[in-house]
Amino acid sequence: MNEHASSIYKHSLKLERRTASLYVQNTGCQQCSPSYGWGPGVRNHFLLHHVIAGKGVFISRDTRYDLQAGDTFLAYPDTTIHYCADARDPWEYVWVGFGGLDAASYMSQTDLTEEEPVYRGRDSGDIRALLEKIYESYGTSAAESLEMTARLYQLLAFLVRTAQGGRGGGREAPDCALLAAEYIVNHYETPITVEGLAAYASVSHSSLYRRFMKRFQMSPKRFLLEYRIERACALLASTGHSIQEISNSVGFEDPFYFSRAFKDVKGVSPRQYANQARSGREAAMGEDEVKSPSMI
């Protein structure tokens, strides 16, 4: 990274980012002046720094970390932080700020935590290289934005892949019921079996059943059925698709079985549900017309 590039602050501005799974908020590289710092203050996104050279101090949650070249530190959203370059040997660092609906979930699978937000020399070369790739791919075009996001995913994938289960102990195994439920939510329109869900979650059929009953108070099979029916309700209420089209769209191959299952869950047939939803919309529209002031 040349001297000119290291003095440039690169900031990615996008609208409506809060609905994205993961996005780059900002990225940069800086050779700090002596005692240069930021804070105390809070950020509304994650901010990951890697120290390329020199020394400095990072303070998070009233804990002080004296850092040097090769160290990495993470600032968490809405957490009071303060960081400052050394007066004699000020640090140079590269960073990426990021957020998104899945950002916290991804970071929870790494060894960086709010209690210990620092890697001291760990995986230094790899983390630096991955951060620099994000920095170097900065741009405002759609292609550059996609490349930045792709490289951010690569960085987080590396941090997750190299997680050692925390300092001094293993992490709690993922909840098999949550894993299977997430699979259902993301693949409900495809053929799904309880046996397949158990294999996906790496547990036995009986273990998955027990975990579902404890967490959701229903079996995996019932969870799948009710989720498909809820997706069907949304289509019936908001579209004019046929019963067969909706049946296929939510994972039922047989529209007659779909109708029976729908009535079992909702107490009415799909057609009756659609008619009721349509009548409700028309009644609501009529009320709006009555409430609207007449034009003079």
Side-chain angles (χ1 to χ4, degrees):
M1 196 171 296
N2 61 47
E3 183 176 351
H4 173 69
S6 67
S7 66
I8 298 175
Y9 178 87
K10 297 181 176 180
H11 192 207
S12 171
L13 291 174
K14 301 182 184 67
L15 299 176
E16 300 299 332
R17 288 173 303 183
R18 293 182 180 179
T19 59
S21 172
L22 190 69
Y23 61 83
V24 175
Q25 175 89 3
N26 51 63
T27 181
C29 183
Q30 184 173 359
Q31 172 61 67
C32 297
S33 57
S35 301
Y36 170 84
W38 186 91
V42 299
R43 304 289 197 183
N44 65 355
H45 55 275
F46 289 94
L47 188 60
L48 185 73
H49 286 77
H50 178 76
V51 184
I52 297 172
K55 300 177 182 178
V57 172
F58 173 56
I59 300 173
S60 177
R61 302 182 65 178
D62 298 323
T63 301
R64 175 188 172 116
Y65 304 89
D66 292 288
L67 304 177
Q68 60 185 0
D71 293 339
T72 303
F73 62 98
L74 177 67
Y76 278 77
D78 304 316
T79 299
T80 301
I81 59 169
H82 180 205
Y83 49 96
C84 181
D86 187 77
R88 295 184 178 181
D89 186 14
W91 55 15
E92 176 186 1
Y93 47 51
V94 59
W95 78 84
V96 64
F98 60 94
L101 297 178
D102 293 326
S105 174
Y106 293 146
M107 293 313 300
S108 71
Q109 299 173 63
T110 74
D111 286 337
L112 290 163
T113 66
E114 292 188 74
E115 293 73 26
E116 186 58 40
V118 169
Y119 281 174
R120 296 186 181 276
R122 175 174 160 183
D123 300 317
S124 175
D126 292 307
I127 293 174
R128 174 179 175 176
L130 289 164
L131 278 167
E132 288 179 344
K133 284 182 179 180
I134 297 172
Y135 172 78
E136 291 162 1
S137 62
Y138 169 80
T140 57
S141 71
E144 289 165 329
S145 176
L146 287 169
E147 187 171 2
M148 270 198 306
T149 304
R151 290 181 171 180
L152 175 60
Y153 272 107
Q154 288 180 331
L155 170 63
L156 299 196
F158 175 82
L159 295 176
V160 171
R161 185 169 59 251
T162 57
Q164 298 172 358
R167 282 145 283 277
R171 289 191 183 274
E172 182 181 352
D175 187 326
C176 63
L178 282 179
L179 282 176
E182 182 181 57
Y183 185 89
I184 289 171
V185 168
N186 292 321
H187 301 86
Y188 64 90
E189 74 280 7
T190 65
I192 296 176
T193 64
V194 177
E195 291 74 16
L197 289 173
Y200 175 76
S202 301
V203 294
S204 67
H205 184 291
S206 58
S207 294
L208 184 65
Y209 177 85
R210 287 195 300 271
R211 292 298 300 175
F212 256 83
M213 293 303 297
K214 181 177 181 180
R215 178 169 286 277
F216 300 111
Q217 292 76 56
M218 65 179 70
S219 68
K221 186 176 181 180
R222 186 69 183 185
F223 184 98
L224 172 61
L225 173 66
E226 293 198 9
Y227 188 79
R228 283 173 166 170
I229 296 302
E230 289 303 319
R231 298 306 305 161
C233 286
L235 291 173
L236 288 165
S238 62
T239 73
H241 296 313
S242 69
I243 301 301
Q244 182 169 359
E245 287 173 330
I246 291 175
S247 171
N248 291 334
S249 299
V250 298
F252 289 89
E253 296 180 358
D254 183 349
F256 296 104
Y257 173 64
F258 164 67
S259 294
R260 291 197 302 272
F262 190 98
K263 189 168 185 178
D264 174 65
V265 174
K266 293 297 180 181
V268 295
S269 71
R271 196 171 304 281
Q272 288 172 319
Y273 185 93
N275 290 337
Q276 290 173 2
R278 188 179 303 112
S279 298
R281 288 198 304 272
E282 290 173 353
M285 290 175 62
E287 290 178 4
D288 289 340
E289 290 177 0
V290 170
K291 293 177 182 178
S292 298
S294 58
M295 296 185 66
I296 300 175

